Amino acid sequence: MADQMADQAASQQTAVYVYEAPVRIWHWVNAFAIIALCVTGYFIGSPLSSVSGEASDHYVMGYMRFVHFAAAYIFIIGFVFRAYWAIVGNSHSREIYLPRIFSKDFWDELWHEIKWYSFLVDEPKKYTGHNPLAILAMHLMFVWGSIFMIISGLALYGEGAGMGSWQYQFFSSWLIPLMGQSQDVHTYHHLVMWLLIIFAIIHIYVAVREDIMSRQSIISSMISGWRLFKDNRPSND
Amino acid sequence: METFYDVMRRQGITRRSFLKYCSLTAAALGLGPSFAPKIAHAMETKERIPVLWLHGLECTCCSESFIRSAHPLAKDVVLSMLSLDYDDTIMAAAGHEAEAIIEEIVTKYKGKYLLAVEGNPPLNEDGMYCIIGGKPFTDQLTYASQHAKAIISWGSCASWGCVQAARPNPTRATPVHKVPGIGNKPIIKVPGCPPIAEVMTAVVTYILTFERFPELDRQGRPKMFYSQRIHDKCYRRPHFDAGQFVEKWDDEGAKKGYCLYKMGCKGPTTYNACSTVRWNGGLSFPIQAGHGCIGCSEDGFWDKGGFYDRLTDIHQFGIEANADEIGVGAATVVGAAAAAHAAVSAVKQARTKGDND
């Protein structure tokens, strides 16, 4: 009993500051932007039931599209800022942008993490930042998914903004012919929304699960920034 | 070769009126009085550009549309502006005589004539799916294009491929700009099935007047007609913004002229001038008639799912499903997997805890 208490005391001293304030603010702003984008985006593709009365009395689709575009700009500016922070921030802020795929440790730890999720090992390793499986999922699904959504989204926005707009010049003009036609860009924009939703499901599930079952704090870290370890044993133990 | 002056005289315009016209034109263009004789000289000496109008795999809807132009009237274009030397649909000659004209124009006006192509060549089986005058259309097209000044791709067939190039495209019907042997001739695309009559005559008029193409977009379409979507200038757009849609063909919304978005209208993804220029002399256009746009001026519009579906079916997965059906399916699988994983995790956690106690 005394040992356990000593352990706890020691582990709390080994807390590490992982998520700097800008990263945490970005994370939550981004999360709400994605929710707004998915909801409004879905209803742009499959609009709500028609409203009756004069057209001049309503602006349902107009507001729906406005929220979508406003949230999209928040998402884009946030993403660009986050990419900038990956350069100037601490080492953990780079993890999801530049996975350490050339390091053998990364693949060993990834294998270990897969075994942990397959219930083949009793205990996960300890990680200060993200575990390799999380890094890979965030890099492939979130980072590249977001880049695709930003480019295709701006291309679709450029169609409405017109041929003189920068959105059209820099995005619509080459992406639409590349993908076939406007309808194809809509379809893939829609499809990747579902990829991001699937990412969100996995992300939230494993965050909760890890918070309960892993050896470090997860959810509270994205609020406070501090990674707390539940035990004081070495990582590989 | 007939000059513009010859044509005007033939149409009954006196020399006096002609010179007046030249002075007025100079004034209208903001040029000094000394330019009037120069314009007269140009009109007297400049030859009308001969046009070869070839037909490949097509349905002649482009020609049908063209002859219905109201501004300018097709007859004015054909009789006074354009020297339409070969168009097998509307020409008087037939058979060998007609085919001889092609040869004559190509040799006589090397590098000077315009080649207008309606339809496209099928490349499979050495072009045997489209034979004109005993020879594959591919041969005729590549021969005529070699010495042309420029090429006009009429309609969606020549521009994108259209229905004969729709999946699985058994004859390998190929749009003009992708046909090997065309070289790098300047090509202007005037897509649509058919293109709007006034758009066709306007393009021809522009080229003949200025002897160059109007400004083109990245895909080779004239910006003046294809830079906006049907949706951007649709008169039903206020109903879209308000959220008022036709839900069924016979509902109240359909009677009131609500937006056809939910009925699969492709106006939001189609670049054309239908909602501004309209059809049949500006009388109407499909959306005004109560039917959604089918996107006929877009690349591969036959392969973008149903004309009445908002979301396009995706074929890559071996089944026909739209983005939502695929997305909900995948999200459900992942959600169920997460739930199952959570259950197993909980049992395992409970056991481990039990062991520790």
Side-chain angles (χ1 to χ4, degrees):
Chain A
M1 191 65 191
D3 274 359
Q4 271 182 1
M5 282 176 73
D7 258 10
Q8 270 174 4
S11 72
Q12 270 155 25
Q13 282 162 1
T14 57
V16 183
Y17 189 59
V18 176
Y19 303 116
E20 295 156 292
V23 172
R24 272 144 42 214
I25 293 167
W26 167 78
H27 176 270
W28 295 109
V29 168
N30 191 53
F32 286 111
I34 290 176
I35 292 168
L37 283 165
C38 288
V39 171
T40 54
Y42 180 83
F43 286 121
I44 289 169
S46 308
L48 297 162
S49 294
S50 294
V51 291
S52 56
E54 286 298 318
S56 54
D57 295 338
H58 305 283
Y59 201 55
V60 178
M61 275 301 263
Y63 288 128
M64 198 70 87
R65 294 172 70 240
F66 173 77
V67 172
H68 193 76
F69 299 147
Y73 272 111
I74 292 170
F75 178 78
I76 293 167
I77 294 166
F79 190 85
V80 171
F81 168 78
R82 182 64 183 78
Y84 161 75
W85 198 260
I87 300 165
V88 300
N90 66 17
S91 67
H92 300 298
S93 66
R94 278 184 279 285
E95 283 177 335
I96 65 165
Y97 283 87
L98 297 167
R100 304 172 284 117
I101 52 168
F102 297 111
S103 128
K104 192 181 172 294
D105 283 354
F106 181 83
W107 297 104
D108 289 344
E109 286 170 7
L110 179 72
W111 181 236
H112 190 270
E113 199 64 21
I114 291 169
K115 284 198 285 190
W116 159 241
Y117 272 92
S118 312
F119 307 104
L120 295 174
V121 289
D122 287 336
E123 209 175 46
K125 295 185 183 215
K126 287 203 287 195
Y127 301 97
T128 0
H130 299 105
N131 73 60
L133 194 59
I135 288 172
L136 224 47
M138 285 179 196
H139 182 74
L140 296 177
M141 292 174 85
F142 175 75
V143 174
W144 286 107
S146 297
I147 290 171
F148 177 82
M149 290 310 260
I150 289 169
I151 292 173
S152 60
L154 284 170
L156 294 173
Y157 186 84
E159 295 196 279
M163 281 198 175
S165 65
W166 62 268
Q167 291 94 341
Y168 192 94
Q169 298 279 321
F170 294 119
F171 297 98
S172 325
S173 66
W174 59 271
L175 187 73
I176 292 172
L178 183 73
M179 299 189 89
Q181 52 143 293
S182 173
Q183 184 77 7
D184 297 302
V185 183
H186 282 82
T187 302
Y188 288 110
H189 192 70
H190 209 119
L191 207 54
V192 176
M193 170 189 85
W194 285 105
L195 179 79
L196 289 179
I197 290 174
I198 289 168
F199 170 77
I201 294 171
I202 297 170
H203 180 68
I204 294 164
Y205 167 63
V206 299
V208 172
R209 184 180 189 270
E210 290 291 287
D211 202 60
I212 299 167
M213 294 177 69
S214 80
R215 293 158 67 187
Q216 66 257 354
S217 68
I218 300 285
I219 296 172
S220 62
S221 305
M222 202 32 105
I223 296 167
S224 69
W226 289 89
R227 176 80 80 228
L228 305 170
F229 296 97
K230 298 177 194 168
D231 61 61
N232 205 17
R233 288 169 290 126
S235 166
N236 287 334
D237 187 45
Chain B
M1 183 83 193
E2 235 179 358
T3 63
F4 283 100
Y5 176 66
D6 295 335
V7 177
M8 288 173 97
R9 289 305 300 270
R10 187 158 51 75
Q11 303 256 315
I13 291 161
T14 62
R15 174 140 184 102
R16 189 183 171 80
S17 303
F18 168 73
L19 291 174
K20 261 190 187 169
Y21 160 82
C22 292
S23 312
L24 278 170
T25 307
L29 293 172
L31 305 167
S34 63
F35 277 88
K38 285 186 183 169
I39 291 174
H41 181 72
M43 300 287 282
E44 281 166 353
T45 52
K46 211 162 142 186
E47 293 177 340
R48 288 194 302 160
I49 301 172
V51 177
L52 263 182
W53 188 314
L54 300 183
H55 299 252
L57 280 187
E58 47 96 339
C59 71
T60 317
C61 74
C62 297
S63 293
E64 287 289 341
S65 176
F66 184 77
I67 60 173
R68 278 160 183 75
S69 174
H71 309 284
L73 282 170
K75 85 162 177 60
D76 290 336
V77 177
V78 176
L79 297 178
S80 53
M81 293 159 70
L82 169 86
S83 172
L84 188 57
D85 294 315
Y86 178 94
D87 181 345
D88 54 27
T89 313
I90 58 174
M91 72 200 294
H96 294 297
E97 286 168 16
E99 296 310 307
I101 296 173
I102 298 181
E103 184 64 41
E104 192 193 318
I105 292 174
V106 171
T107 47
K108 204 169 155 192
Y109 301 108
K110 248 182 198 171
K112 284 186 188 163
Y113 63 91
L114 268 182
L115 176 65
V117 186
E118 187 175 345
N120 58 28
L123 300 184
N124 250 3
E125 309 288 347
D126 300 324
M128 289 302 154
Y129 293 104
C130 185
I131 305 288
I132 313 268
K135 277 191 253 170
F137 174 62
T138 323
D139 295 356
Q140 193 186 43
L141 176 66
T142 45
Y143 173 67
S145 69
Q146 267 163 16
H147 306 291
K149 188 178 181 183
I151 299 171
I152 303 176
S153 285
W154 282 143
S156 292
C157 297
S159 301
W160 310 125
C162 208
V163 67
Q164 61 272 43
R167 216 185 330 263
N169 191 3
T171 65
R172 239 184 99 207
T174 308
V176 172
H177 65 283
K178 287 185 182 163
V179 175
I182 292 290
N184 51 357
K185 293 279 172 198
I187 297 178
I188 183 169
K189 291 185 192 135
V190 188
C193 192
I196 302 167
E198 282 74 18
V199 169
M200 297 178 80
T201 48
V203 166
V204 168
T205 311
Y206 190 100
I207 298 171
L208 295 178
T209 311
F210 298 105
E211 285 197 47
R212 58 179 163 85
F213 282 159
E215 200 186 340
L216 304 181
D217 69 5
R218 214 179 168 107
Q219 288 164 277
R221 301 172 294 189
K223 273 188 179 173
M224 56 171 96
F225 299 112
Y226 294 92
S227 61
Q228 279 187 315
R229 299 168 299 175
I230 307 277
H231 190 58
D232 294 322
K233 287 283 168 69
C234 183
Y235 80 103
R236 296 194 184 199
R237 181 63 188 262
H239 290 299
F240 170 83
D241 290 331
Q244 297 179 317
F245 302 100
V246 175
E247 311 272 351
K248 274 194 271 157
W249 289 116
D250 54 353
D251 69 1
E252 203 53 31
K255 287 176 199 156
K256 286 181 177 164
Y258 284 178
C259 175
L260 293 157
Y261 187 78
K262 283 190 181 177
M263 304 310 289
C265 177
K266 300 293 184 292
T269 55
T270 303
Y271 288 82
N272 209 334
C274 301
S275 49
T276 43
V277 177
R278 306 196 186 189
W279 287 79
N280 300 322
L283 179 72
S284 183
F285 73 112
I287 295 167
Q288 197 172 342
H291 188 284
C293 165
I294 61 170
C296 76
S297 56
E298 286 297 309
D299 193 357
F301 78 100
W302 295 99
D303 293 326
K304 304 301 169 199
F307 291 153
Y308 305 103
D309 297 329
R310 173 76 258 139
L311 306 171
T312 297
D313 278 350
I314 297 160
H315 302 268
Q316 277 78 353
F317 299 89
I319 42 151
E320 291 199 7
N322 66 36
D324 273 350
E325 289 158 359
I326 292 165
V328 170
T332 309
V333 169
V334 171
H341 199 269
V344 177
S345 304
V347 171
K348 193 182 166 229
Q349 180 85 337
R351 261 195 211 150
T352 324
K353 278 238 173 89
D355 289 348
N356 285 351
D357 287 341

